[in-house]
Amino acid sequence: MVIRIAGDSGDGMQLTGDRFTQETAVFGNDLSTLPNFPAEIRAPQGTLAGVSSFQLHFADHDILTPGDRPDVLVAMNPAALKANLADVPQGGRLIIDTHDFTQRALARIGWASNPLEDGTLDGYTVHAVDLTQLTLDALQGNELSRKDAGRSKNMFALGLLSWMYSRPTEGTLNFIRQKFASKPAIAEANITAFKAGWNYGETTETFAVAYEIKPATLPAGVYRNISGNLALSYGLVAAARRAGLPMYLGAYPITPASDILHELSKHKRFGIRTFQAEDEIAGIGAALGASFGGALAVTTSSGPGIALKGETIGLAVSLELPLVVVDVQRGGPSTGLPTKTEQSDLLQAMYGRNGEAPVPIVAAQSPGDCFYAAFEAARIALTYRTPVFLLTDGYLANGSEPWRVPTPAELPDLTVDFAREPNGPDGTFLPYLRDPQTLARPWAVPGTPGLEHRVGGIEKADKTGNISYDPDNHDFMVRTRQAKVDAVAAGLPPLVVDDPAGDARVLVLGWGSTYGPIGAACRQVRASGLSVAQLHLRHINPFPADLGAILAHYDKIVIPEMNLGQLATLIRARYLVDAISVTQIRGLPFKADELTDMLQEVISNG
């Protein structure tokens, strides 16, 4: 089942969707969510630009996406109906709050007549109910003003949906009590509205059918519903604990990465220190200083902030210090689409610095996978003494899914061996004497007796780290830094291709958040009787060592991306493969059905 709840931004659509999601997770369904909201803090009320929505796909089996089209649309005003109606398939169910369907409100969004009366909604199952008035009736006698009481209509809608889909209710009631503990009148109003919505579904003949979607069968373990930003935060905390290091985050708030700063600031007891800097450059500068001081250092941002951090990332490459650079991608360029998703920073992560400044790149593929991607980025940074890019995007950051909580024993040991004694002749310390396997230089914490050394942005001499303008030394150091990044590939496990039949001639290659739509499309293609293979990349720089051989095994390589073909450009350049690039830049994830149609055509055309 796919449900979308839509209304004015600021009217609680995200809260409503989140609470329904939490109860669905507790019930045991597999799920995937897609929050979608405008960038304005409060867009004009009743306008198309101000519509906020939350989509939830939940099932009794494994699912990969938040769904292409909603089976049920809850529209809290005319703008919400108009903005989302085209996504609802014929026969879909519409639950419409009729309270604001006035001539003035309809004219504001360009409707000359009332769609509830003019045939616009023919072909849909329509439940036109004055949810706002029902909420006000339920709250008669409450001390709140009429305006404040009307704001509880989202809880009425949540109660109704909870009845329709047999969701648990106690968790939501406890949540309301806790959230509004300091405002008992508001808490009581929301609880009353929620119960009224449930009772309305139970007693009215308008909604004659309740639906039951049984719990999904998932591997045994302890589960929780988790968003991408939260999972990423926990992955960083886990990496710091497994490394035995304090963690330092230097960050400047930016959508959609700010929640990582908010979350990590709560965990001082785990040795986490967070610094909300005055700007992006100060944030990464402080983080790099913390790395020099022996901490697992992290900086978080989105594309515009990454542009500002570029020089300091280059400095980290030169200093050869561990640093995790998190880029939660959003629509660009410039301010672009701050609350919408995109994959358009890949080439920025790959090349967006002056000089030859190679940086490993790791990409997460789902909200829960952000935990493991963050852990892996920290592992590479600590092992190879290098900054590492961790790419997620707005879809992963804000979306959520059930996540099995790992035990500490399941996570690799990341313990770091700091330099503790001189490593050169006559008791000297050579800060750029390298490990023969990883090419990592020693990590000497300032203040360690006998290991004093200078760092800076000017080129360094091999081994000694002294300032050097020697041409041959510069050539050697540039090539060595590249070789160190290339060496990461040797430590990666073999790639796993999803090719059940083993006879596919078309391979779909993806990265990042396209994992879900690609996976769902491949399932649909196979269900139609055709064969297709799927491979998803976590490591994009360097590419895994066996990628070239895998690509050569297939006749056609298809690469869907939410950009203009950035991975396709890299694949073509590296492997001379004429990949088929499939792109969209709409601020929304791919629809699985669209990819299915495209793949069936590619396969059928040989």
Side-chain angles (χ1 to χ4, degrees), residues 320-561:
E320 300 189 45
L321 287 170
L323 175 67
V324 177
V325 181
V326 178
D327 180 0
V328 186
Q329 300 165 96
R330 70 190 206 187
S334 188
T335 308
L337 305 173
T339 60
K340 310 301 181 183
T341 195
E342 208 161 275
Q343 289 182 295
S344 53
D345 293 352
L346 176 56
L347 293 184
Q348 182 184 31
M350 190 79 178
Y351 300 120
R353 294 162 296 283
N354 64 296
E356 295 288 345
V359 174
I361 300 173
V362 174
Q365 66 184 31
S366 71
D369 184 60
C370 287
F371 176 92
Y372 296 100
F375 195 95
E376 172 66 358
R379 181 194 71 83
I380 294 173
L382 295 172
T383 301
Y384 296 90
R385 309 284 197 269
T386 178
V388 177
F389 260 105
L390 172 56
L391 298 182
T392 74
D393 58 42
Y395 168 37
L396 297 183
N398 297 315
S400 63
E401 66 179 355
W403 174 66
R404 190 184 70 82
V405 181
T407 63
E410 295 177 58
L411 303 175
D413 183 3
L414 301 185
T415 302
V416 173
D417 291 325
F418 288 109
R420 304 191 184 282
E421 57 186 27
N423 59 358
D426 305 322
T428 60
F429 176 58
L430 301 176
Y432 283 84
L433 185 67
R434 301 177 183 279
D435 180 283
Q437 298 297 321
T438 64
L439 299 180
R441 76 174 186 88
W443 195 2
V445 177
T448 305
L451 304 189
E452 296 84 2
H453 61 287
R454 72 164 66 93
V455 295
I458 299 178
E459 185 62 280
K460 297 145 194 68
D462 180 38
K463 298 183 178 62
T464 67
N466 295 331
I467 292 174
S468 173
Y469 291 94
D470 179 71
D472 291 336
N473 176 79
H474 177 58
D475 184 273
F476 176 81
M477 293 295 278
V478 167
R479 295 180 187 277
T480 300
R481 288 188 288 261
Q482 180 64 59
K484 182 173 66 168
V485 172
D486 293 340
V488 173
L492 302 180
L495 291 170
V496 177
V497 180
D498 179 18
D499 186 3
D503 60 355
R505 304 315 308 156
V506 173
L507 173 70
V508 189
L509 180 65
W511 70 278
S513 65
T514 56
Y515 172 77
I518 291 174
C522 287
R523 289 179 181 180
Q524 293 177 18
V525 169
R526 292 166 189 152
S528 72
L530 301 175
S531 292
V532 67
Q534 179 187 3
L535 175 61
H536 214 74
L537 295 178
R538 177 187 295 287
H539 301 90
I540 303 178
N541 191 36
F543 286 127
D546 53 347
L547 178 58
I550 291 173
L551 297 178
H553 179 73
Y554 293 91
D555 296 338
K556 292 183 179 180
I557 310 299
V558 180
I559 305 179
E561 299 179 79

Side-chain angles (χ1 to χ4, degrees), residues 506 555-556 601-606:
V506 173
D555 296 338
K556 292 183 179 180
E601 182 177 351
V602 170
I603 296 169
S604 299
N605 290 338

Side-chain angles (χ1 to χ4, degrees), residues 1 22 45 86 121 142 213 231 233 290 361 489 517 525 572 591 596:
M1 183 64 65
Q22 296 296 340
Q45 191 169 8
L121 305 183
N142 189 285
I213 296 180
S233 301
I361 300 173
V525 169
R572 288 166 177 162
K591 286 183 168 63
T596 299

